[in-house]
Amino acid sequence: MTQEPIFEESSGNVFADLGLSNADELLTRGKIGLQVLRVLKQRNLKQREISELLGIPQPEVSHLMKGEFQRFSEGKLLIFLKRLDTEITLHLRPHHTLNQSAETVILL
């Protein structure tokens, strides 16, 4: 008799699904880091050029290009986007409240 596979619906945050305590932070870093990678890949730069552009040592570029975003803070990843001439807009709203319409937008 074959056992049916068990599936569990995702929460939308794989890090939370894995039970990690800093899941929101890891998801945020992942989203920002992926955007940094997209821009870098579009520019087709060598690691030495990326190092100079972002102001980080070449070994750190290697970690970034491998998707090791946990090595960088959200702030550092946002700085990378700014150095890549990317406009950043933050949408701030209350977390889990009845009045979800209150929102602040910040353009960096």
Side-chain angles (χ1 to χ4, degrees), residues 25-81:
E25 181 181 328
L26 291 170
L27 183 62
T28 300
R29 284 185 196 186
K31 287 179 178 181
I32 300 168
L34 285 173
Q35 186 59 36
V36 171
L37 285 182
R38 281 186 196 110
V39 174
L40 289 172
K41 288 182 190 255
Q42 286 173 350
R43 294 191 181 188
N44 201 25
L45 300 170
K46 298 194 180 333
Q47 286 199 5
R48 179 186 46 76
E49 295 168 313
I50 294 170
S51 172
E52 292 172 10
L53 183 63
L54 299 183
I56 58 175
Q58 192 280 327
E60 291 297 307
V61 173
S62 180
H63 293 302
L64 179 66
M65 300 308 287
K66 289 187 226 174
E68 296 175 7
F69 306 129
Q70 74 279 5
R71 295 178 156 271
F72 306 94
S73 68
E74 293 98 332
K76 189 70 163 177
L77 292 166
L78 289 171
I79 289 170
F80 294 163
L81 285 176

Side-chain angles (χ1 to χ4, degrees), residues 8-28:
E8 186 176 317
E9 188 172 337
S10 172
S11 68
N13 181 340
V14 66
F15 302 108
D17 296 342
L18 292 171
L20 300 176
S21 62
N22 58 342
D24 289 337
E25 181 181 328
L26 291 170
L27 183 62
T28 300

